């Protein structure tokens, strides 16, 4: 995993993940798929983590599937390439909850129990865009080039893209980008809903945001992410109950009391581990 992703653990619980294949614009080869899956699984059960920042080293966030893989597809080995990424030859097999392994590369960030922020620069094409879409928040450089590029290779977005794009943009926008595969800028991504905000230095902005989140009650942050995830599939009645359950658990907890005391005393809070 270390050869494809560099980890930095900050003292306040912020975890920084950098895709570390700069010579290939951080393209997704089997080792990168494995590293992203391992990172998602490790962070999912890490009680010490408060926020996660994902970025790419070098000139790009992620250029999508490695070109050598497409060359093998052109030689008739598409099922082997995609099957290897998905953990087997049958893409319909569910290996990671509701996802296959290739889909989990993007969907894992929804299962990490704390906010995940993608700092996007250079390019985010195809699978690289889907990895970014899996994050809770995307901070994008204005001149970034993005594309739902799978149609160029005779494919469809298959790393969770259909689930993730429908949350962010109108159906006709998603259809146009999927059918054309055209490249659009970070500025347009903001207008369409794929970027949360623009920044000349997305990584610096993402880290600043992550450190700010790390200073909040970890119980409330995790409860908030659970509710926001539930909002995507629950009915209004179910979500109202979920709100009440989460709030009842927070009221009077050690970290909630500390938040109140710190605000009254006008000092930085000293939170413990999440309950």
């Amino acid at each position: 995993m270390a050869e494809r992703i560099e980890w930095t653990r900050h003292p306040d619980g912020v975890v920084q993940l950098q895709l570390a294949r700069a010579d290939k614009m951080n393209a997704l080869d089997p080792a990168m798929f494995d590293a992203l899956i391992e990172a998602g699984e490790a962070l999912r059960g890490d009680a010490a983590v408060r926020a996660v920042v994902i970025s790419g080293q070098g000139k790009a966030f992620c250029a999508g599937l490695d070109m050598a893989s497409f060359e093998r597809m052109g030689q008739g080995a598409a099922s082997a390439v995609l099957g290897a990424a998905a953990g087997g030859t049958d893409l319909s097999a569910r290996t990671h909850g509701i996802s296959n392994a290739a889909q989990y590369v993007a969907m894992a960030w929804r299962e990490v129990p704390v906010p995940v922020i993608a700092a996007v620069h250079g390019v985010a094409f195809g699978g690289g865009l889907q990895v970014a879409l899996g994050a809770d928040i995307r901070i994008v450089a204005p001149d970034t080039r993005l594309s739902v590029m799978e149609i160029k290779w005779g494919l469809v977005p298959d790393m969770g893209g259909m689930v993730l794009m429908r949350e962010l943009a109108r159906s006709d926008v998603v259809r146009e980008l999927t059918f054309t595969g055209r490249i659009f800028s970070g500025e347009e991504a903001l207008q369409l809903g794929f970027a949360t905000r623009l920044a000349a230095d997305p990584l610096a902005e993402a880290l600043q945001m992550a450190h700010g989140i790390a200073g909040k009650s970890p119980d409330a942050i995790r409860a908030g992410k659970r509710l926001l995830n539930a909002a995507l599939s629950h009915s209004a009645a179910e979500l109202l109950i979920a709100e009440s359950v989460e709030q009842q658990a927070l009221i009077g907890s050690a970290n909630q009391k500390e938040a109140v005391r710190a605000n009254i005393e006008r000092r930085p809070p000293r939170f413990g581990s999440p309950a």
Side-chain angles (χ1 to χ4, degrees), residues 36-75:
L36 286 164
I37 290 169
E38 289 176 30
E41 291 177 335
L43 291 168
R44 189 175 60 187
D46 189 342
V49 66
R50 298 289 187 267
V52 178
V53 173
I54 305 174
S55 64
Q57 293 183 353
K59 297 180 179 179
F61 176 76
C62 178
L65 194 61
D66 184 79
M67 286 300 299
S69 298
F70 284 120
E71 291 175 3
R72 290 195 291 276
M73 286 185 196
Q75 296 165 4

Side-chain angles (χ1 to χ4, degrees), residues 43-257:
L43 291 168
R44 189 175 60 187
D46 189 342
V49 66
R50 298 289 187 267
V52 178
V53 173
I54 305 174
S55 64
Q57 293 183 353
K59 297 180 179 179
F61 176 76
C62 178
L65 194 61
D66 184 79
M67 286 300 299
S69 298
F70 284 120
E71 291 175 3
R72 290 195 291 276
M73 286 185 196
Q75 296 165 4
S79 61
V81 174
L82 292 174
T89 56
D90 183 4
L91 295 179
S92 65
R94 303 296 90 180
T95 58
H96 292 71
I98 63 173
S99 306
N100 65 30
Q103 292 165 336
Y104 193 71
V105 168
M107 298 301 292
W109 312 115
R110 295 300 174 89
E111 296 187 14
V112 172
V114 299
V116 178
I117 307 167
V120 185
H121 77 291
V123 303
F125 290 159
L129 174 59
Q130 292 174 83
V131 171
L133 295 180
D136 298 289
I137 297 164
R138 282 155 300 285
I139 301 177
V140 182
D143 60 353
T144 302
R145 296 182 298 148
L146 307 95
S147 173
V148 186
M149 193 168 275
E150 284 76 10
I151 193 64
K152 178 178 179 179
W153 309 105
L155 300 170
V156 295
D158 68 337
M159 289 171 55
M162 292 301 183
V163 172
L164 298 167
M165 287 190 292
R166 72 178 183 182
E167 299 172 5
L168 302 170
R170 295 194 327 249
S171 176
D172 61 325
V173 170
V174 173
R175 289 166 188 263
E176 183 253 323
L177 296 175
T178 300
F179 297 152
T180 67
R182 70 176 178 85
I183 295 172
F184 55 100
S185 69
E187 291 183 340
E188 186 177 358
L190 180 65
Q191 297 170 1
L192 297 177
F194 290 141
T196 308
R197 67 169 64 168
L198 301 181
D201 188 341
L203 180 56
E205 184 92 1
L207 286 170
Q208 181 180 14
M209 180 183 292
H211 288 304
I213 291 170
K216 307 295 192 298
S217 167
D219 293 318
I221 291 293
R222 288 171 178 245
K225 180 154 181 179
R226 286 193 294 269
L227 285 171
L228 289 164
N229 283 344
L232 300 173
S233 58
H234 285 34
S235 68
E238 290 169 331
L239 192 57
L240 288 171
I241 286 291
E243 278 185 5
S244 300
V245 170
E246 294 285 4
Q247 191 77 313
Q248 187 164 310
L250 290 171
I251 293 172
S253 65
N255 281 329
Q256 193 268 326
K257 289 179 180 178

